[in-house]
Amino acid sequence: MFEIATHLALLLILAAFVAGFVDSIAGGGGLIAMPMLLIAGATPLEALATNKLQGAFGAGTATVAYARAGHVRLKDQLGMAAVSALAAAAGALVAKSTPADVLRIIMPVILVAVAAFFALKPGLSDASRSQRMAPALFTFTAVPLIAAYDGFFGPGTGSFFMLAFVMLAGFGMLKATAHTKLLNFASNIGSLCIFIPSGAMWWGVGLGMSVAQIAGATLGARMAMRIGARLIKPLIVTVSIAMALRLLWQALG
């Protein structure tokens, strides 16, 4: 049934539940699932492909949950989602042939900056703020840059999308979280279009993790909608710092 020993698969399924919960609120779930896949014996390409499969189910579940609650109109995001999918596919193509050593060094610095912004920036709440970038410009600048990064490397994509929506689109934190999920789902789908034909997918493990992702994402989205910025802000700070420390350890080790 699974490509690895059952006890390892069960640990990965548990990790996927936690990743789905965290990712539906603050992003960064990939840095929980990816290291676990590598520890379980997956090659880097197998880990990246399988992570995208289970991550797509989590992001899709969160997208539906936020849309049903009225926090996002999916029709209004279809153009952004298409751009996200195409850019992620391009990033995944590059990932198949390019080492990520440089990004592993740069990313911790960026993630610490994200954590510091959300921790120290006053007035971050669920209230909307001034829009600094027109929707069309946002769609063809911020969205493809972040989505291409997601296809190529991945950790922190949700946090970066959220930061872009807050800083550039003028969204409150809950609205930004809701709008992030469809773009994350689209970038996962775009990446899968490249990774599935490569034959690197762990289908048994990935589908098991996907079920857990759905459960974790459902719980996380409900909590985020109930508590709002009071939950999102501290969790995104914690996740960003944890991701930075994990990437530093990986880069220096």
Side-chain angles (χ1 to χ4, degrees):
M1 181 177 180
F2 297 120
E3 293 82 354
I4 54 176
T6 301
H7 71 283
L8 290 176
L10 292 176
L11 287 175
L12 288 174
I13 289 171
L14 176 60
F17 174 83
V18 177
F21 176 84
V22 171
D23 208 44
S24 67
I25 301 172
L31 205 66
I32 297 172
M34 277 284 288
M36 292 298 292
L37 284 162
L38 292 169
I39 291 170
T43 66
L45 189 59
E46 288 171 339
L48 188 56
T50 306
N51 179 59
K52 291 300 180 188
L53 175 64
Q54 58 98 34
F57 279 86
T61 300
T63 299
V64 172
Y66 285 116
R68 284 180 174 174
H71 294 290
V72 58
R73 287 171 51 87
L74 298 184
K75 290 182 179 180
D76 295 343
Q77 274 203 298
L78 291 180
M80 286 187 185
V83 171
S84 181
L86 291 171
L93 281 171
V94 176
K96 291 178 65 176
S97 57
T98 304
D101 292 341
V102 174
L103 277 177
R104 289 195 183 101
I105 295 172
I106 296 174
M107 281 306 301
V109 178
I110 299 174
L111 290 169
V112 168
V114 171
F117 171 83
F118 280 99
L120 302 176
K121 176 72 174 176
L124 283 181
S125 66
D126 293 327
S128 298
R129 51 186 48 80
S130 299
Q131 183 185 80
R132 298 185 178 182
M133 185 177 286
L137 184 59
F138 183 88
T139 299
F140 292 105
T141 55
V143 171
L145 285 173
I146 298 170
Y149 160 76
D150 188 32
F152 179 69
F153 193 59
T157 299
S159 300
F160 295 147
F161 270 132
M162 186 189 298
L163 180 61
F165 275 117
V166 170
M167 290 297 295
L168 302 177
F171 288 4
M173 294 193 71
L174 179 57
K175 185 178 179 181
T177 300
H179 282 71
T180 290
K181 298 311 156 192
L182 180 59
L183 301 189
N184 243 160
F185 175 71
S187 65
N188 282 327
I189 295 300
S191 301
L192 284 172
C193 290
I194 303 301
F195 289 127
I196 288 176
S198 73
M201 188 73 67
W202 279 5
W203 284 105
V205 170
L207 291 174
M209 294 177 73
S210 297
V211 174
Q213 268 272 356
I214 291 171
T218 299
L219 179 61
R222 287 177 180 175
M223 289 189 65
M225 288 184 284
R226 184 180 303 123
I227 303 174
R230 290 184 292 114
L231 172 65
I232 298 169
K233 181 176 177 179
L235 190 53
I236 198 172
V237 170
T238 302
V239 169
S240 296
I241 292 174
M243 286 192 294
L245 292 175
R246 174 67 178 85
L247 289 170
L248 274 174
W249 177 81
Q250 186 179 30
L252 299 177

